Amino acid sequence: MRQYRELAELYQELEKTSKRLEKTFLVARFLRSCTLEDLEPVILLLQGRAFPEWDPREIGVASKLVIRTISKISGEKISIIESRWARLGDLGLVAEEYSQRKRQATLFSKKLGVRDVLTNLQKIASLEGEGTIDKKLAYLSDLLLNASPLEARYIVRTVLGELRVGIAGGILRDAITWAFSPLPEEIFYKCKHCGAVVPASDKCMSCGNPLIPSKSSRELAINELLNSGSIKEQETFITNNPREIYNKLIEYIEDAYNILNDYGELAIRLYKQGLRGLSKLELVPGRPIRVMLAQKADNATEALETVGTPAAVEYKYDGFRMQIHKKDNKIVIYTRRLEDVTKQFPDVVEGVKKINADSFIIDSECVGVDSSTGKFLPFQNISQRIKRKYNISEMVRKIPVELHVFDIVYYNGETILKKPFKERRAILEKIIPEQGILRLAVQRIVKNEEEANEFYEESLRKGNEGIMFKALNAPYKPGSRVGYMMKLKPTAESLDLVIVGAEWGEGKRSRWLSSYYVACLDPVTGNYLSIGKVSTGLKEKREEGLSYDELTEILKPLIIEEKGKMVILRPEIVVEVTYQEIQKSPSYDSGYALRFPRIIKIREDRSPREITTINEIEKYYKEQLSK
Ligand code: ATP
């Protein structure tokens, strides 16, 4: 069993480098030295999670509780701990400091294994109801009392959702691949000096000695890929190029991950059976998968070029995406963030019972409808339904909905991700009766731009957001923004950014956080890069829409640190921001700034992991230059 201390040392090493290859190497080396039993806790803890990605439970500990816990175990006054926090800007470091002192006082503590830490975190994440806070405090104290100073630093950062070691999904996926699958020669070598398998370069990443190529491992790589049934024989032999074999391997592992939605399980399968463990993966109703996303098109010509003709076009409904699962008469509704919202939508649960299938996983858009006019309601209304935890039946009456179903990936016991879209649609047409709240997304098959544009105008006239273009023969790729689905809508692209800081206002706004620092995502390190300060778009009064005071209320519990008028926030709230122009700017981490930014709304359906990336910002910046 691995000790948590070893993992803490790995975090420390990871923090020291920003290079993707080095991070991948460090994680892969660690994983390779794990036993089967270690893999689940190690992979979850590396992600700062207590449960796999498909499980929406979060650790959810607030800074206040951490401060109380530190105070309890050290006997220090809360106000003093708070002032240390203000100095150091990181509660992890504060916990480390107090843990040092505690060590001098008590010498008896048990060694923490990775499993012990995970078990306690899982208990914390599963608590509900009365007395939750005190119980959380007890579990956290138990961990901190037994932790070394370095361990305390990372335990605290983990419970706060602030691990900051910079390994995003891509790095973890690559590290798992490096650790547990055959790697083609000329990309990876086995170092003669230390025996580590390391990426090609002059020097061994592990021991620093010069790298000398070892006996070919390409044969092995090809054979294992073939035996797993993952890549067709022909394909492999056309590709004798090691880089291409490597890319195929990564693509294959990514596909498997997208079905499992669980890096721990992915690693365990590879560990036990090699690539063979990833063949014939099936979806499991009740366990959400990441949805397929669309690329954006500027016009119908571009969209058709990508998806090919003839193409399916559909109304783009402006509502809330719902992934709905049914098995053994149990129905579960997930949002795009994979949160379970079944309780909030009893009307949808009743509605989908009419679908003619024993089991399914469907993809759909839920839209609010004005009961007097029959017209679609703006997105904000349905978001009220998602937030509502009580008096649900009143909400069902006040904001009735329609469910527009546009895809199906699991049907009567069979995973149908790979079936061409037109066949999946044919199944929908067979099993979805248009009654009650149920609708099939309006679709037409078009051969050219004229037909697509005609449909586009019709869709906008009906009050939709735009249209979707879909490749008729494409599979469903979970979690990807591939060109199988293109969106076309009239408004300029807006950005989805996470709020990382804010400033208290002045004068009559002094009780509100009235300007907000927003950031985009660096998909390699998983860090957030600031891109500007926004103070417009919000309303003075709640009745008028998203107001300063409402946003302040939402952000207050996320405050990590206060410096004068400025606060630093835990990056959780995603907002849609429009702008007039992207400019280069040294003032923000991203190297860019937004001209005339404006907050449009909170994107409840987006997690901070799904926001606009720095690569997209760069792309929009370049597009702007060429216009
Ligand atoms: P946007 O911000 O443009 O709503 P997004 O970034 O939330 O898009 P995209 O995948 O880029 O997500 O755009 C597609 C979204 O449009 C889907 O997530 C889904 O919620 C919605 N949608 C509405 N109608 C359809 C449809 N017929 N087919 C697919 N998606 C649809």
Side-chain angles (χ1 to χ4, degrees), residues 294 314-315 321 336 365 470 481 487 489 606:
E314 293 176 1
Y315 288 172
R321 193 158 181 175
R336 159 177 171 159
E365 190 84 354
K470 299 186 178 180
R481 201 177 279 281
K487 59 178 170 183
K489 53 181 188 178
R606 283 260 163 150

Side-chain angles (χ1 to χ4, degrees), residues 320-336:
F320 212 88
R321 193 158 181 175
M322 282 184 174
Q323 186 184 103
I324 307 180
H325 295 230
K326 176 181 168 189
K327 193 183 175 193
D328 300 334
N329 286 321
K330 183 168 186 271
I331 289 160
V332 193
I333 307 173
Y334 294 102
T335 65
R336 159 177 171 159

Side-chain angles (χ1 to χ4, degrees), residues 202-270:
D202 307 341
K203 275 203 240 149
C204 168
M205 232 180 221
S206 178
C207 68
N209 282 308
L211 260 188
I212 305 153
S214 66
K215 197 167 153 268
S216 165
S217 61
R218 188 188 299 170
E219 274 307 86
L220 186 73
I222 291 174
N223 282 340
E224 196 164 335
L225 281 172
L226 277 180
N227 291 340
S228 72
S230 56
I231 292 173
K232 287 190 206 85
E233 189 162 345
Q234 220 183 0
E235 231 178 329
T236 320
F237 285 114
I238 295 172
T239 298
N240 218 350
N241 170 331
R243 171 55 62 185
E244 278 178 33
I245 296 179
Y246 176 71
N247 290 345
K248 279 236 172 302
L249 187 62
I250 292 285
E251 198 184 304
Y252 179 63
I253 297 219
E254 172 75 24
D255 280 355
Y257 171 69
N258 281 331
I259 295 181
L260 295 171
N261 204 4
D262 183 340
Y263 280 116
E265 188 177 341
L266 179 80
I268 288 171
R269 281 170 177 268
L270 279 168

Side-chain angles (χ1 to χ4, degrees), residues 94-160:
V94 177
E96 183 171 2
E97 220 175 64
Y98 280 102
S99 179
Q100 247 145 7
R101 295 193 205 166
K102 172 210 76 183
R103 290 246 114 190
Q104 289 156 8
T106 47
L107 290 169
F108 302 101
S109 57
K110 63 171 192 245
K111 282 201 175 128
L112 285 175
V114 280
R115 173 68 66 186
D116 303 327
V117 175
L118 180 68
T119 307
N120 259 22
L121 295 180
Q122 287 181 334
K123 285 181 190 155
I124 292 177
S126 311
L127 288 171
E128 269 176 32
E130 249 174 68
T132 302
I133 300 213
D134 288 335
K135 285 185 204 145
K136 280 189 183 175
L137 193 143
Y139 287 128
L140 188 57
S141 328
D142 186 36
L143 279 176
L144 292 182
L145 273 172
N146 287 298
S148 68
L150 188 70
E151 289 172 324
R153 180 205 296 181
Y154 291 107
I155 288 171
V156 162
R157 286 191 189 163
T158 303
V159 299
L160 289 171

Side-chain angles (χ1 to χ4, degrees), residues 549-574:
D549 111 77
E550 188 182 352
L551 191 54
T552 305
E553 205 171 279
I554 295 172
L555 293 175
K556 256 184 167 172
L558 305 176
I559 296 179
I560 302 176
E561 193 190 337
E562 299 214 29
K563 277 187 196 151
K565 275 197 167 320
M566 203 177 136
V567 301
I568 306 211
L569 296 162
R570 190 189 313 173
E572 246 175 46
I573 301 301
V574 178

Side-chain angles (χ1 to χ4, degrees), residues 320 344-345 379-389 395 398-399 604:
F320 212 88
Q344 290 94 307
F345 292 91
F379 171 82
Q380 289 300 344
N381 297 61
I382 187 156
S383 83
Q384 280 180 37
R385 282 204 52 179
I386 288 171
K387 280 184 261 172
R388 184 60 83 89
K389 299 274 151 54
M395 278 318 251
K398 225 167 114 192
I399 308 173
E604 264 124 26

